[in-house]
């Protein structure tokens, strides 16, 4: 029969409370009733209710009879169980009381048994520990073989601790304990070697392998700036990624320096940063962490120098050095590789220092670790020693000390040829320098048997300066340098400023002095180009230009020192400029001041020089030179269709007539003596060679000066594209103006030489054509002076043609026919008489000169035809000359006609002054009517 479980009344509804007050109420009613009727009434009422209650009870009993019987049975069973348990408990209590009584009787015996049990248990533990101790060597060897140093260290530390404490009295384990202690000492040495390997050698090897892999097995050198830029960017990206990996590994794997070593890892050294942490943990467990840190600090320079040597050997083995360029590339590659290695090693040391501090806190060890500033200071010392080796600073210092012993005021010793220093034995050493003092004693012991990729020389600074400055800026940022530049920066700056540039300036000045002091300095020439228009240059000038190219190379390699380079260049070039001007003076003024060359004296006059430069032929020459220079700058050949248009004979005559008239008016009256001309063709050739050399050199000088006008830009090593930096720091306007002025003075000297040659040829024409001499009238040859002038002109042409550009030769001889014609025509006024033989002699002279000039200029000199026509007038009478002017027009000027009429009158047997006056008056009238066309 299923009975529904009781239902909980709803919340807030209070169940009806049953009270026992009903019986009391009945009793009070009965006691308070006055009559029996009332009591009977209440009694009957109660009886009825009792009957109803019994009736209901009977109904309920009958209704739940089965359940009630089951409950009664269960209750009987439980009651029986409870009674049984009570009896059992009573029996147990009786037994316990009995045991208690018996135990009190055996207490001492039990205590003895308990103590024996403890002794046996301790002996079993000792036996287990002894068994473990016997297995330690094998387990340790297994861990060491697989480089599972953390497990090996814990095992060894535990075993040594057992041998010293628990198992100290075991005689059979004493030898094993001593062996384990020795292995413990050996273990920390091995751990230090492994730490050194991962702090120095492994990072360096990674960089070398990476650079070799990226640059290719067959072409280890990286020559392309683009490849260099890409490689530097990849290197920086790799370093950033490695730092992130290192930080994440440190966060994930080290928790309160509880390092986890995975025994299933086949290569524990694969993750170098985690392996360093394991080594730090092992050293901390061995209590050797202070020893390892101190030894790394003490021997850091030695370790870094070993990396330099290994990398040098690697570069030398794989670069295939043959030429000087290969050596420079190898040195640059070595420097870049070392920089990358030092940065990679810096990451490992930063990781090492952080974990050493954590390990010291956890293990309570006092460890004085080092900072990144200490590491970079050691790197700077090593790099300073590296530079001392490759820049040959020791020998430079010795030379400088030797030179300081000479008297700087002794001009003869300054300009004299210096002796080359012998390399057998150095008089002084660089051991007491600031750079050498920074090296530790252990560092100095490693100087034996050094390996280098190229010969030590001061010029190596040109290869390594820019990479070093980029690296210095990087380490200054990493070190957080705020109080001025770092030590390496100061060392390089001091070396370049105080040693290299000064020595380079002295070397270049010595080269220039040696070139200009040679016996054939102004005669010996060299042909740099085999093209038709290219002419030989003075070897001394070529040598000086090579020195300028050396300065240009220095400028490109040391862009931060452009100001000092410009100053040193000005110093050397100013001395050479003075020497060139002295050489020019030696050519044009070989004697005292009283015997000056006429053409040179004229050129000293600024008005005459300015006049010659204002003439069209000079302007045209300079325009052609500028056009060719511009064409060469854009590297294209000057084509024929790009040349200026050919001038007509009339244009040429007009262009050269003014110069001829000016020169004739100044030189035609007094004449020129033999002492006022340059009769030695060798001097004219030297002058031509000087002109060509000075012009060529001035162009190079202007190009060199333009190098200092580049827009300055920041030398930022953080940008990898700046590996091939060619920007130049700004130069002061005064120095730049001085350098440009020197270049202009070389150009002015070249112009002066060319103007002198141009003027000298014309002065010699006056000298020979205006000379008074007695002629042999019987011969049919030209006058001796004319023949001599022809020979001189031919010799001059031969001298200048082999030394000057064709357009300059053209400038020298162009218009010479007009001048000769002007001289010959003007000479008519100085003739006393003229006859038919004299006329024919003058025509022969003109023909001889015309033939000479035609051979020189390769064009017919029409001006000499004009002069010949003038002398053919003397075959006519004055009336015929005047009638010809009326019929054909004037061919000559009025003065020339007047001189002709006067000469014809002087040549008559009976001179008639009246007729000459009539002819001159008629000439004036005719020319006034027809107009003058000259």
């Amino acid at each position: 029969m299923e009975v529904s479980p009781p239902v909980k009344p709803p919340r807030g509804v209070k169940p009806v409370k049953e009270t026992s007050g009903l019986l009391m109420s009945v009793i009070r009613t009965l006691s308070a009733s006055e009559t029996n009727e009332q009591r009977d009434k209440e009694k009957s009422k109660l009886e009825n209710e009792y009957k109803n209650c019994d009736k209901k009870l009977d109904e309920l009993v009958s209704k739940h009879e089965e359940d009630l019987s089951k409950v009664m049975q269960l209750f009987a069973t439980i009651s029986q169980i409870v009674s049984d348990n009570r009896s059992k408990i009573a029996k147990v209590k009786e037994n316990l009381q009995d045991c208690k009584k018996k135990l009190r009787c055996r207490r001492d015996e039990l205590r003895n048994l308990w103590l024996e049990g403890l002794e046996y248990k301790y002996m079993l533990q000792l036996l287990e520990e002894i068994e473990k101790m016997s297995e330690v060597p094998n387990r340790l060897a297994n861990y060491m073989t697989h480089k599972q140093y953390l497990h090996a260290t814990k095992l060894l530390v535990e075993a040594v601790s057992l041998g010293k404490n628990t198992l100290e009295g075991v005689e059979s384990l004493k030898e094993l304990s001593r062996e384990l202690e020795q292995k413990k000492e050996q273990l920390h040495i091995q751990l230090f070697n492994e730490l050194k390997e991962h702090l120095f050698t492994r990072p360096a090897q990674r960089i070398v392998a990476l650079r070799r892999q990226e640059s290719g097995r067959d072409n280890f050198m990286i020559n392309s700036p683009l490849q260099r830029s890409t490689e530097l960017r990849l290197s920086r990206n790799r370093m950033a990624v490695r730092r992130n990996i290192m930080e994440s590994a440190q966060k994930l794997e080290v928790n309160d320096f509880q390092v986890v070593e995975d025994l299933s890892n086949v290569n524990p050294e694969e993750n170098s940063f985690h392996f360093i942490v394991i080594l730090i943990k092992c050293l901390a467990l061995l209590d050797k962490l202070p020893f390892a840190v101190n030894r790394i600090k003490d021997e850091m320079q030695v370790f870094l120098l070993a990396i330099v040597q290994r990398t040098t050997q690697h570069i030398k083995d794989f670069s295939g050095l043959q030429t000087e360029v290969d050596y420079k590339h190898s040195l640059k590659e070595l420097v870049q590789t070392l920089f990358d290695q030092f940065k990679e090693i810096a990451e490992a040391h930063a990781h090492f220092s952080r974990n050493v501090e954590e390990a010291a806190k956890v293990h309570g060890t006092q460890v004085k670790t080092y900072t990144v500033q200490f590491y970079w200071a050691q790197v700077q010392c090593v790099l300073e020693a590296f530079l001392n080796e490759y820049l040959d600073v020791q020998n430079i210092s010795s030379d400088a000390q030797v030179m300081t012993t000479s008297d700087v005021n002794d001009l003869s010793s300054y300009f004299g040829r210096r002796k080359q220093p012998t390399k057998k034995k150095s008089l002084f050493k660089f051991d007491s320098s600031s750079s050498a003092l920074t090296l530790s004693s252990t560092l100095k012991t490693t100087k034996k048997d050094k390996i280098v990729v190229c010969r030590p020389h001061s010029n190596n600074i040109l290869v390594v300066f820019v990479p070093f400055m980029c690296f210095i800026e990087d380490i200054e940022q990493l070190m957080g340098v705020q109080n001025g530049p770092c030590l390496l920066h100061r060392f390089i700056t001091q070396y370049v400023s105080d040693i290299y540039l000064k020595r380079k300036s002295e070397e270049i000045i010595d080269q220039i002095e040696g070139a200009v002091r040679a016996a054939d300095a102004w005669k010996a020439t060299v042909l740099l180009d085999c093209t038709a228009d290219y002419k030989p240059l003075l070897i001394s000038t070529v040598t000086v230009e090579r020195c300028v190219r050396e300065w240009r190379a220095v400028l490109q390699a040391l862009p931060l020192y452009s100001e000092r380079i410009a100053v040193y260049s000005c110093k050397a070039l100013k001395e050479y400029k003075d020497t060139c001007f002295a050489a020019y003076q030696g050519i044009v003024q070989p004697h005292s001041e009283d015997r000056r060359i006429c053409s040179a004296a004229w050129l000293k006059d600024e008005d005459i020089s300015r006049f010659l430069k204002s003439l069209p032929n000079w302007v045209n020459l300079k325009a052609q030179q500028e056009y060719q220079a511009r064409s060469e700058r854009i590297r294209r050949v000057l084509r024929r269709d790009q040349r200026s248009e050919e001038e007509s004979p009339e244009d040429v005559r007009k262009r050269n007539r003014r110069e001829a008239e000016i020169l004739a008016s100044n030189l035609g009256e007094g004449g020129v003596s033999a002492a006022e001309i340059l009769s030695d063709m060798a001097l004219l050739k030297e002058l031509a060679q000087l002109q060509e050399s000075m012009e060529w050199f001035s162009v190079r000088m202007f190009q060199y000066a333009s190098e200092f006008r580049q827009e300055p830009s920041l030398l930022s090593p953080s940008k990898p594209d700046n590996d091939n930096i060619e920007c130049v720091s700004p130069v002061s306007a005064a120095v730049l103006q001085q350098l440009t002025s020197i270049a202009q003075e070389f150009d002015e000297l070249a112009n002066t030489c060319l103007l002198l040659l141009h003027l000298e040829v014309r002065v010699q024409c006056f000298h020979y054509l205006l000379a008074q001499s007695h002629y042999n009238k019987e011969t049919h040859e030209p006058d001796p002076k004319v023949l001599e002038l022809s020979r001189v002109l031919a010799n001059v042409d031969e001298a200048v043609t082999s030394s000057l550009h064709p357009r300059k030769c053209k400038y020298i001889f162009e218009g010479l026919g007009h001048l000769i014609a002007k001289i010959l025509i003007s000479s008519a006024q100085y003739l006393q008489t003229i006859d038919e033989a004299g006329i024919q002699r003058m025509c022969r002279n003109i023909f001889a000169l015309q033939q000479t000039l035609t051979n020189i200029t390769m064009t017919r000199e029409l001006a000499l035809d004009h002069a010949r026509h003038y002398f053919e007038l003397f075959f006519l009478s004055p009336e015929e000359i005047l009638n010809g002017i009326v019929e054909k027009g004037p061919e000559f000027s009025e003065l020339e006609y007047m001189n002709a009429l006067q000469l014809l009158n002087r040549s008559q047997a009976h001179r008639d002054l009246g007729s000459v006056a009539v002819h001159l008056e008629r000439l004036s009238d005719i020319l006034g009517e027809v107009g003058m066309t000259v």
Side-chain angles (χ1 to χ4, degrees):
M1 177 177 168
E2 296 182 359
V3 180
S4 59
V7 179
K8 183 178 180 181
R11 299 183 66 179
V13 179
K14 295 183 178 180
V16 180
K17 295 184 179 179
E18 295 182 359
T19 63
S20 60
L22 181 59
L23 180 61
M24 296 304 296
S25 177
V26 172
I27 293 172
R28 281 194 301 269
T29 302
L30 291 175
S31 63
S33 62
E34 297 178 355
T35 63
N36 290 326
E37 294 180 359
Q38 291 180 346
R39 294 187 185 95
D40 293 336
K41 190 177 181 178
E42 286 294 329
K43 181 180 179 182
S44 61
K45 184 179 179 179
L46 287 173
E47 289 178 353
N48 290 332
E49 288 180 357
Y50 275 117
K51 290 178 180 179
N52 291 332
C53 182
D54 291 337
K55 185 179 181 181
K56 289 181 181 180
L57 181 61
D58 292 337
E59 290 178 356
L60 291 173
V61 169
S62 62
K63 184 178 180 180
H64 297 284
E65 182 180 2
E66 184 178 356
D67 293 335
L68 184 61
S69 62
K70 185 180 293 186
V71 169
M72 294 301 290
Q73 292 175 0
L74 291 175
F75 177 78
T77 303
I78 293 173
S79 177
Q80 183 66 30
I81 293 173
V82 170
S83 61
D84 293 340
N85 287 333
R86 283 178 179 177
S87 62
K88 289 180 180 180
I89 290 172
K91 188 176 182 180
V92 169
K93 286 182 178 181
E94 291 177 0
N95 292 332
L96 287 175
Q97 290 295 331
D98 188 31
C99 288
K100 187 176 181 181
K101 293 178 181 179
K102 293 180 180 181
L103 286 174
R104 286 176 181 176
C105 298
R106 299 286 184 97
R107 181 180 297 175
D108 296 334
E109 186 179 354
L110 289 174
R111 183 182 292 111
N112 293 332
L113 293 175
W114 176 73
L115 291 175
E116 288 180 1
L118 290 178
E119 290 178 1
Y120 285 125
K121 184 178 180 181
Y122 183 69
M123 290 176 64
L124 289 175
Q125 185 178 355
L126 288 179
L127 289 175
E128 291 178 358
E129 291 176 353
I130 291 172
E131 187 178 355
K132 289 181 180 179
M133 285 284 289
S134 63
E135 294 177 356
V136 164
N138 294 331
R139 294 176 62 191
L140 181 63
N142 183 37
Y143 288 146
M144 297 296 291
T145 303
H146 296 87
K147 293 191 175 183
Q148 296 166 348
Y149 292 117
L150 184 57
H151 284 75
T153 303
K154 290 181 179 179
L155 176 63
L156 192 57
V157 169
E158 182 181 356
V160 171
S161 177
L162 287 175
K164 289 183 178 180
N165 298 324
T166 307
L167 304 179
E168 184 177 5
V170 180
E171 294 294 332
S172 60
L173 294 179
K174 287 185 177 181
E175 185 176 355
L176 179 59
S177 298
R178 287 194 295 270
E179 181 182 353
L180 292 178
E181 288 180 1
Q182 293 178 358
K183 288 186 177 181
K184 182 180 177 182
E185 294 296 326
Q186 295 174 359
L187 177 61
H188 91 271
I189 297 298
Q190 186 171 354
L191 291 174
F192 175 78
N193 292 332
E194 290 286 348
L195 183 62
K196 181 181 70 174
E197 179 81 9
H198 284 267
L199 286 179
F200 296 96
T201 308
R202 289 295 182 92
Q205 290 177 350
R206 281 198 299 269
I207 292 298
V208 170
L210 191 61
R211 294 184 70 87
R212 183 181 175 189
Q213 180 181 2
E214 292 179 354
S215 60
R217 186 177 298 274
D218 298 330
N219 184 18
F220 184 70
M221 295 295 101
I222 298 177
N223 300 325
S224 172
L226 179 60
Q227 292 179 354
R228 176 76 64 190
S229 303
T230 304
E231 190 235 355
L232 289 177
R233 283 194 295 270
L234 291 175
S235 177
R236 289 188 173 91
N237 293 334
R238 287 192 300 270
M239 291 180 182
V241 171
R242 186 172 290 110
R243 282 195 296 269
N244 295 333
I245 294 175
M246 179 188 65
E247 293 174 358
S248 61
Q250 185 178 8
K251 293 178 181 178
L252 293 176
E253 298 175 356
V254 181
N255 183 15
D256 291 335
F257 221 75
Q258 297 298 322
V259 186
V260 178
E261 186 178 42
D262 187 7
L263 295 179
S264 62
N265 191 359
V266 179
N267 185 11
E269 297 178 289
E270 183 178 3
N271 187 348
S272 183
F273 290 136
H274 181 58
F275 195 73
I276 290 175
V277 176
I278 291 176
L279 295 176
I280 295 173
K281 181 69 174 179
C282 295
L283 290 170
L285 292 175
L286 293 173
D287 199 19
K288 294 294 183 179
L289 195 56
F291 159 79
V293 174
N294 292 331
R295 187 170 177 184
I296 288 176
K297 290 169 60 178
D298 295 339
E299 301 183 8
M300 186 176 291
Q301 291 185 10
V302 179
F303 299 153
L304 294 175
L305 272 181
I307 291 174
V308 173
Q309 290 296 295
R310 286 195 297 268
T311 307
T312 302
Q313 185 64 51
H314 180 82
I315 297 290
K316 193 173 183 180
D317 292 341
F318 286 92
S319 57
L321 304 177
Q322 293 180 354
T323 63
E324 187 68 24
V325 177
D326 293 337
Y327 286 108
K328 292 181 179 179
H329 288 167
S330 299
L331 179 58
K332 192 172 184 180
E333 181 68 22
L334 173 60
V335 169
Q336 292 289 357
T337 305
L338 289 177
F339 292 163
D340 292 344
Q341 288 176 335
F342 290 151
K343 292 177 183 178
E344 187 80 1
I345 294 171
E347 295 291 337
H349 279 270
H351 178 68
F352 173 72
S353 298
R354 285 193 295 269
N355 286 278
V356 166
E357 293 176 356
E358 293 293 330
K361 293 178 182 178
V362 172
H363 292 272
T365 306
Q366 295 294 331
V367 180
K368 188 176 181 181
T369 185
Y370 53 89
T371 61
V372 66
Q373 287 78 9
F374 175 82
Y375 167 76
W376 285 117
Q378 304 305 307
V379 171
Q380 291 179 69
C381 292
V382 171
L383 290 177
E384 192 171 331
F386 177 84
L387 290 175
N388 283 328
E389 181 70 23
Y390 277 91
L391 299 181
D392 202 15
V393 175
Q394 182 175 350
N395 293 333
I396 293 176
S397 176
S398 301
D399 296 341
Q401 292 179 7
V402 172
M403 290 182 62
T404 55
T405 59
S406 62
D407 188 2
V408 294
N409 296 322
D410 189 1
L411 295 179
S412 61
S413 64
Y414 178 76
F415 287 101
R417 193 182 297 273
R418 294 186 176 90
K419 295 181 179 180
Q420 296 295 330
T422 59
K423 298 183 179 180
K424 295 181 179 179
K425 185 178 181 181
S426 60
L427 298 177
F428 301 93
K429 292 186 177 181
F430 208 63
D431 294 338
S432 299
S433 65
S434 59
S435 60
L437 292 175
T438 59
L439 298 177
S440 61
S441 59
T442 57
L443 186 62
K444 292 180 181 179
T445 58
T446 61
K447 290 185 177 180
K448 299 179 181 179
D449 301 330
K450 283 193 173 181
I451 305 171
V452 293
V453 296
C454 64
R455 183 175 61 88
H457 196 274
S458 59
N459 285 335
N460 290 334
I461 189 65
L462 305 181
V463 180
V464 302
F465 178 78
V466 171
F468 259 88
M469 296 307 295
C470 295
F471 178 71
I472 286 172
E473 185 170 337
D474 283 345
I475 65 175
E476 285 180 348
Q477 292 178 356
L478 293 173
M479 294 174 63
V481 177
Q482 297 178 354
N483 300 325
C486 62
L487 295 175
L488 185 60
H489 193 172
R490 290 197 294 268
F491 171 79
I492 294 179
T493 303
Q494 182 181 5
Y495 171 79
V496 175
S497 302
D498 300 339
I499 298 178
Y500 178 75
L501 290 179
K502 288 183 179 179
R503 186 187 185 193
K504 192 68 176 179
S505 176
E506 294 170 357
E507 289 179 355
I508 289 180
I509 290 177
D510 289 344
Q511 293 178 15
I512 294 176
E513 289 178 359
V516 300
R517 288 177 181 273
D520 56 349
W522 307 105
K523 296 180 182 180
T525 59
V526 60
L527 187 62
L528 299 181
D529 195 351
C530 296
T531 56
D533 294 341
Y534 202 86
K535 298 302 177 182
L537 302 173
L538 293 173
I539 293 181
S540 59
T541 305
V542 174
T543 302
V544 177
E545 193 273 337
R546 190 181 301 115
C547 295
V548 173
R549 279 191 279 121
E550 289 184 17
W551 274 128
R552 180 178 297 177
V554 173
L555 175 64
Q556 293 176 354
L558 309 175
L560 299 180
Y561 297 88
S562 56
E563 178 81 18
R564 302 196 64 171
I565 293 173
V567 171
Y568 285 130
S569 301
C570 290
K571 178 182 178 182
L573 293 172
K574 186 177 181 181
E575 293 184 2
Y576 179 63
K577 179 205 68 177
D578 296 338
T579 307
C580 292
F581 275 90
Y584 167 78
Q585 290 295 329
I587 295 175
V588 301
Q589 190 177 335
H591 304 291
S592 63
E593 186 69 20
D594 297 336
R595 298 180 59 187
R596 294 196 298 178
I597 303 301
C598 179
S599 55
W602 272 36
L603 285 179
K604 286 186 176 181
D605 191 338
E606 294 183 358
D607 294 334
I608 296 177
S609 178
R610 187 165 50 252
F611 163 72
L612 291 176
K613 292 180 181 179
S614 65
L615 293 177
N617 50 3
W618 177 263
V619 175
N620 186 34
L621 172 66
K622 286 301 175 182
Q624 290 180 2
Q625 289 180 348
E626 179 63 25
Y627 182 75
Q628 184 181 11
R630 187 168 58 253
S631 301
E632 290 178 355
R633 282 196 295 270
I634 61 177
R635 297 187 178 183
R636 60 183 179 85
V637 181
L638 187 64
R639 300 176 183 175
R640 293 184 178 181
D641 55 355
Q642 293 174 330
R643 295 177 181 174
S644 58
E645 296 181 357
E646 295 292 337
E647 295 177 297
S648 64
E650 184 65 21
D651 294 335
V652 174
R653 187 180 70 85
K654 291 180 180 180
R655 186 158 54 83
N656 295 316
R657 184 182 63 182
R658 184 184 176 191
E659 180 185 8
E661 291 176 353
I662 295 295
L663 293 177
S665 62
N666 286 276
L667 295 175
E669 297 179 359
V672 180
S673 64
E676 294 178 316
I677 64 172
L678 289 173
S679 57
D680 189 357
M681 292 298 108
L683 294 178
L684 291 178
K685 186 172 183 179
E686 290 179 12
L687 199 62
Q689 292 172 350
L690 181 63
Q691 193 282 332
E692 191 73 25
S693 299
M694 291 298 100
E695 182 178 295
W696 174 82
F697 186 71
S698 67
V699 173
R700 270 67 186 172
M701 276 296 301
F702 280 118
Q703 293 175 354
Y704 177 59
S706 66
E707 297 282 341
F708 296 93
R709 292 191 179 93
Q710 295 180 358
E711 290 294 330
S713 61
L714 295 178
L715 187 63
S716 177
S718 60
K719 299 179 181 179
D721 294 337
N722 288 341
D723 182 73
N724 196 18
I725 299 174
E726 295 183 359
C727 59
V728 178
S729 298
V731 179
S732 62
V735 176
L736 185 59
Q737 176 62 30
Q738 185 179 2
L739 190 61
T740 306
S741 176
I742 293 175
Q744 291 174 349
E745 290 181 5
F746 280 111
D747 185 59
E748 287 298 325
L749 179 58
N751 294 338
T752 301
C753 293
L754 186 58
L755 290 172
L756 181 67
L757 291 172
H758 176 84
L759 195 58
E760 179 63 27
V761 172
R762 283 146 180 78
V763 169
Q764 297 208 12
C765 290
F766 282 101
H767 168 69
Y768 289 107
L769 295 180
L770 294 182
Q772 300 293 328
S773 61
H774 300 284
Y775 303 113
N776 187 359
K777 299 181 179 180
E778 296 180 357
T779 182
H780 296 286
E781 295 293 329
D783 293 340
K785 291 293 184 179
V786 172
L787 293 176
E788 189 172 356
L789 177 60
S790 298
R791 180 184 57 80
V792 168
L793 293 178
N795 292 336
V796 171
D797 175 62
E798 182 181 358
V800 299
T801 301
S802 61
S803 303
L804 290 179
H805 194 276
R807 63 170 175 269
K808 299 175 188 176
C809 298
K810 179 181 179 182
Y811 169 72
I812 292 174
F813 290 100
E814 187 180 40
L816 192 61
H818 292 80
L819 180 64
I820 292 176
K822 186 69 176 179
I823 295 173
L824 293 176
I825 292 174
S826 300
S827 64
Q829 59 183 324
Y830 303 109
L831 297 177
Q832 296 298 323
T833 60
I834 192 170
D835 52 8
E836 184 176 353
I839 297 172
Q840 292 177 354
R841 189 184 74 248
M842 294 299 296
C843 291
R844 287 195 297 272
N845 292 340
I846 293 172
F847 179 77
L849 293 173
Q850 187 178 30
Q851 187 177 11
T852 301
L853 288 179
T854 301
N855 293 333
I856 294 175
T857 62
M858 303 305 294
T859 57
R860 182 175 180 81
E861 294 292 337
L862 299 179
L864 292 177
D865 291 336
H866 183 71
R868 190 178 68 255
H869 294 162
Y870 179 78
F871 283 100
E872 288 177 351
L873 292 177
F874 295 106
F875 287 113
L876 305 177
S877 62
E879 290 78 7
E880 291 175 345
I881 293 175
L882 295 174
N883 292 333
I885 295 174
V886 174
E887 293 176 1
K888 300 179 181 180
E891 188 178 357
F892 305 98
S893 65
E894 182 178 1
L895 179 60
E896 292 170 350
Y897 278 118
M898 291 173 63
N899 292 333
L901 293 175
Q902 291 174 357
L903 180 57
L904 285 174
N905 184 61
R906 291 195 301 269
S907 300
Q908 294 178 358
H910 302 285
R911 299 181 180 180
D912 187 358
L913 298 177
S915 61
V916 173
V918 173
H919 293 154
L920 293 177
E921 184 178 358
R922 185 182 175 191
L923 173 66
S924 178
D925 294 339
I926 293 173
L927 294 178
E929 292 176 0
V930 301
M932 290 295 296
T933 58
V934 182

